[in-house]
Amino acid sequence: MSLPARTSPLSDAQAAHAARWIDLEGMRSVAVFEREPAAALDIVAIGDLSYRRRVGVKGPSAAAALAGLGLATPAKPNSWCRTEDAIVARLGITEYLIEDSAGGETVAKVLALPAAAGVYPVPRFDAELVVAGPQAVDLFRQTCAVDISTLDAAGGALALTSMVGVGVTVAAVMTPAGVTYRIWCDGTYGGYLWETLCEVAEDMGGGAIGYEAVARVVR
Amino acid sequence: MSRLPQRPDEWIDRSRQVRFRFEGRDYVGFAGDAVSSALWASGVRTLGRSFKYHRPRGILSMANHDVNVLVQDGQRLNVRGDVVPVREGMDLTAVNTWGGLAKDRVRFLDRLSAFLPVGFYYKAFYSKRWFPTWERMFRAITGLGRIDAATPHIYTHKRYDFCDVLVIGGGVAGLSAALSAADAGASVVLVDENARVGGSGMYQLGGDTAQREAVRGLIARARGHKNIRVFESTLAAAWYADQWVPLVDADKLTKMRARATVMASGAFEQPTVFRNNDLPGVMLGSAMQRLIHRYAVQPARRVVVTAANADGYRVALDLIDAGVQVLAVADLRDTLPSCPAVEKVRARGVECLPGTGIYEAHADGSGEVTAVTLCKVREGVADTSTARRLDCDGVAMSTGWAPAANLLYQAGTKMRFDERLQQFVPDVLPEGVFACGRVNGVFALDSKQADGARAGALAAAHVLGTALEVDPVLPGGEAPSHPWPVVKHPSGKNFVDFDEDLQVKDFENAVQEGYDNIELLKRFTTVGMGPSQGKHSNMTALRILARLVGKSPQQVGTTTARPFFHPVPMSHLAGRGFNPHRRSPLHGRHAALGAVFMPAGAWERPEYYAVPSKSRIDSIHDEVRRVRTKVAVIDVGTLGKIEIRGPQAAEFLNRVYTARIDLLKVGGTRYGISCDETGVLTDEGVIARLADNVYYFTTTTSGAALVYREMSRLNSEWRLECGIINLTGAYSSVNLAGPDCRKVLGPICDADLSPEAFPYLAVREGKVAGIPARMMRVGFVGEWGYEIHVPAEYGPALWDALMQAGEPYGIGPFGVEAQRLLRLEKGHLIVSQDTDGLTHPFEVSMDWAVKLDKPFFVGQRSLKILKQMPLKRKLAGFKLPAGYSGQVPQECHLVIVNGEIAGRVTSIYWSPNLGHHIGLAFLPPDMTAPGTAFQIRVTDGSMVSAEVCETPFFDPQDLRQKEQA
């Protein structure tokens, strides 16, 4: 029996507003929302990247295990770096998050790591949001107590903080469209986070965007 | 009309007229006018009535430092006329009147004031029976506006903001501080509650146009500085730890996080205390200057100034420039200092009278000032033989200031009373907090600039981590405040607190009655407790108390300035609420099945699945019946799910749980409980051993986060070689239960489900519907069942597969209520429902789960002691008689023995399988023998008989978990 379809942690929150769906790496995702603001990306737009495959690794030998796979890890906690087809984020002294870019295979390699002392795999099925647009910082200012504008996109800084009361990890990512923000949170809080951020964004004139629009700002 | 010709820098836009109504009459003002200035310009001088005696009131501070002018604007209550801009179409009424401002029907209260001294209500209206009547009456008389219940909810945003240096106060000192900090490279936010920055530098001119030019220069530089953001009409309402300052503007509340704060908040001018100092037309000197320079309104035509500092003379000069006839400057000081301001006033032909004060102001028929009596005054006592009456329509009071130090107090600043300045000034400032300008005792223009630049530079150095030493700026030579700005009068009505109509004699009476320290005095007299929060009254009250008890102001001290120090609209505090909640990956599936959700910790869980045409309880009983007779599935994804890996994982769990986890075989599970150091039962769950070094276990829904946090803390102490992984959100879990559950699971599962291969309490890893799964054979609800855990992203697929495979067997979902009933039938307790913050395992008959002979586990030492002690209570099962139809006890109803509380019910349900009510209750240990009868007191006070019985109530031999069942 083959694996069934994956379900996005945001699926329940998005289903009623979806105009068209798309399959992304085995996960049904929204391609276009019904009332997607045309100018959302010019104001503030929120998209869903939960389809990306990711895994965590923690433990005193985690960095060495990743290095054994040829994966560079950030030198400092609370930072991230990009490899050929993945993001490697260092969430603590000995804890890492690895996320594949579209079509990446790094996560599969990490999952295949043999059991070893001091290397503890962490299954992760986060909700992942991307916030883009010139007023993205203002959206954070209404929802997060950390000054996200100081996150150094070029330097790969991460913030482990809370937004609207939900524990999140935020990375600033430089894209051709400007700085975008990636937000990871526990999938069970994802629906609430999505709905709340969309509500704030709509107040600002922006709103949710489907994958077709997301793809223009995320690589 | 008293509108002046155009003034430089006036705030009004003469090209835009604004029409509005006040007390039923039409008026016209200009855009930029405050309500008060527009009315004053139209010749209206009685703008409100006082709170207690309903005395007519006019402008006092013109600066939001008092509430003489409180108006209702439709559904908006308590609009402060001195600062709220007048708007086209406003229809305003004064609050606190019966029948309108002019014909207020309770204005007679002023004549009864002798019978209404401070604290009269404490003494007169204490009767319990009559108090509600008095309360209603006083509320009706003294109400501040009328609430319209149909007022729409006003939506206000909250937001965060950040800066290096927050400068509070946009006057000369604040502007200088902002520029200094910004020039040093700090990002600066400058906030000012006024519509425009500039502060007193733009209106306390004394005819000095050069001052205005200098301040204009500062404003222009600040506005153009790339490192400075200027927030006008924005109030810094409080100061919280770590430099959090809420900024309130018309539309929102901003939580500003600064790295340093400069308090350049200035000072509040204080009223002089003399008889009838509250008549319309009597106002603070600074209020007259604001009217002139901001709104181009002539405050009066003939004015007497009462002064005690150079500011009073500058007021006189500004009045003269505005075409006002200044009749005299009555200076409370015995001798007039030789200073330019005094000389200039004299040069304009104004009589300057040293050692003179206003003994009394006189009212005309409408209650507005028409004359004053001047007397020689010494130490507050007037020599009435020197009385001299001057007819006037305005009085300017300019005898002293109180520092706007509320935020400094909140920040933890130690203040000291400077006798020479007659003012409290910062003595020891907290780290990262700086003060400058008037709040720092510095009043002269040049000194304020220097002091601001000093504070700004220090703040920037603090933020940027550079070393800087700057000499303090010394205050000028003149005391800006008079030590005793009070003139006694035998007939009183010399007001100290205009909010509460408090007179000097009220303080004398309070002290006489023993309320002789500042905190008691405040509470008894209510001084400073009105909407002005003591801005214009606390300092004078403190001086009066000091004199009455023979202490210095330093010894008397000040009261606490709690945040927020100034009233803000409730809508700003409410704003957008964030109440995070978690949803299981199966949430949408539940909703589609008609789930009625209930909160369970942070989660939304299905309480039950509503069946059309059936009641809640019938729907729940249907679910129970399905579990007992067919097969049903419940979402248990909300349980905490934690994995521990590593060579010392077993040792770690052995220390956390009371059972012998190290003896658990691979492929097996065990029920476990954990305790805290005092032996109190904290959590429970099922622990599965997946491999030698890999354990996977569940916790209670509400305990998941706490358990993970506590385990992480413990291992940071123990440093055992294992990793703790919280999988609560990463895994979706369901419990498939019922006689037919194997038939449902078998076809879609690759594991051998035979009881030999997969016995009760075993754990297996395999695939269900192609999904990698962990399966545990557990029986929380007392049926053959499997708890299936899969990656969260496959939860819905698993659910769909089970529902599809179970369709031939009548599968359906069951919710939390059915589960609770089913587990109660089995006598299983729920931690935190059937236990409380003191329950230890022996009280709930879990001795079997506690292995006291282990080397160590958390709580072991306490449990060993508790084991030696007699139990005080014990959880026992009980039942109500079959067919009982009276009021049913509820959870937390008390067990009563001989009229005393002996226990309480923790769980109770009617069991459709047993046909009577069953429950758990804490009882005295000697009452837990089966068959013992006891009484439960229900809500209406009646008693219900119950009988202790054995648990489990249902299937006591657990036959349904076995093959032969």
Side-chain angles (χ1 to χ4, degrees), chain B residues 134 174 267 578 590 757 836:
Chain B
W134 301 128
F578 297 130
H590 303 318
D836 55 35

Side-chain angles (χ1 to χ4, degrees), chain B residues 39 141 278 538 614 617 700 799 841 847:
Chain B
L39 288 169
I141 294 174
D278 66 332
N538 276 354
K614 287 200 174 181
I617 200 67
T700 58
W799 179 271
D847 311 48

Side-chain angles (χ1 to χ4, degrees), chain B residues 264-490:
Chain B
S265 41
F268 307 121
E269 191 159 36
Q270 302 294 291
T272 314
V273 180
F274 56 86
R275 177 169 165 77
N276 291 335
N277 60 345
D278 66 332
L279 299 182
V282 181
M283 67 178 85
L284 298 171
S286 53
M288 290 196 171
Q289 290 171 305
R290 289 185 179 100
L291 278 174
I292 293 168
H293 295 294
R294 289 179 172 176
Y295 304 105
V297 174
Q298 192 179 52
R301 297 188 194 286
R302 292 162 56 83
V303 168
V304 172
V305 178
T306 177
N309 53 28
D311 291 321
Y313 293 86
R314 282 191 278 269
V315 171
L317 290 168
D318 282 336
L319 287 167
I320 294 166
D321 282 354
V324 177
Q325 184 184 359
V326 178
L327 302 175
V329 178
D331 198 317
L332 286 171
R333 294 172 294 188
D334 291 339
T335 55
L336 298 184
S338 174
C339 71
V342 176
E343 297 311 320
K344 281 184 192 171
V345 171
R346 277 189 170 137
R348 305 292 286 266
V350 177
E351 196 177 10
C352 299
L353 304 167
T356 304
I358 298 176
Y359 179 59
E360 183 176 3
H362 305 279
D364 61 13
S366 58
E368 296 168 355
V369 69
T370 189
V372 294
T373 298
L374 300 180
C375 286
K376 285 289 180 185
V377 173
R378 182 173 285 270
E379 289 296 307
V381 178
D383 178 358
T384 52
S385 67
T386 63
R388 173 182 166 199
R389 182 177 169 122
L390 290 177
D391 291 340
C392 61
D393 63 350
V395 174
M397 301 181 285
S398 194
T399 54
W401 303 82
N406 312 61
L407 302 185
L408 280 171
Y409 281 112
Q410 287 171 16
T413 306
K414 286 184 182 165
M415 303 286 284
R416 68 176 170 81
F417 188 75
D418 188 308
E419 289 287 348
R420 192 177 64 79
L421 294 172
Q422 283 296 308
Q423 180 181 321
F424 281 94
V425 292
D427 190 16
V428 181
L429 285 160
E431 193 181 344
V433 176
F434 305 88
C436 59
R438 292 188 179 196
V439 77
N440 202 29
V442 175
F443 279 67
L445 182 75
D446 292 348
S447 301
K448 285 194 288 189
Q449 274 188 268
D451 201 30
R454 174 198 60 81
L458 285 172
H462 172 80
V463 167
L464 302 172
T466 53
L468 183 68
E469 286 202 11
V470 188
D471 290 334
V473 175
L474 296 176
E478 181 192 80
S481 298
H482 194 275
W484 190 245
V486 178
V487 180
K488 288 198 76 168
H489 195 289

Side-chain angles (χ1 to χ4, degrees), chain A residues 1-9 11-13 27 50-53 58 60 95 115 117-125 137-138 140-149 163-166 186-192 195-196 199-200 203, chain B residues 155 157-163 229 244 257 576-589 602-603 643 645-647 708 721-731 747-748 767-772 791-794 796-798:
Chain A
M1 198 176 283
S2 61
L3 265 174
R6 302 157 67 207
T7 303
S8 164
S11 178
D12 289 338
M27 183 177 282
S50 305
Y51 74 91
R52 297 214 164 168
R53 296 182 189 276
K58 65 195 281 191
E95 185 169 359
V119 184
Y120 311 119
V122 183
R124 294 196 60 144
F125 306 103
V137 169
D138 201 51
F140 277 93
R141 294 230 159 141
Q142 293 190 43
T143 54
C144 178
V146 167
D147 187 3
I148 220 75
S149 68
M163 287 182 82
V164 300
V166 175
D186 185 305
T188 58
Y189 281 111
Y192 167 76
E195 288 167 355
T196 310
E199 186 185 310
V200 176
D203 282 353
Chain B
Y155 197 74
H157 291 280
K158 278 184 279 197
R159 74 194 306 276
Y160 296 92
D161 206 339
F162 309 88
C163 64
R229 288 183 287 158
W244 280 108
R257 179 72 182 270
R576 190 196 298 275
F578 297 130
N579 302 297
H581 48 261
R582 303 179 86 170
R583 291 180 194 144
S584 140
L586 305 175
H587 188 88
R589 299 302 194 267
W603 294 89
E643 190 173 275
R645 288 173 174 260
Y708 176 69
E721 197 176 337
C722 59
I724 307 165
I725 302 149
N726 188 351
L727 298 176
T728 302
Y731 271 67
I748 58 171
K767 287 190 174 176
V768 178
I771 304 164
E793 60 186 3
Y794 293 117
L798 172 71

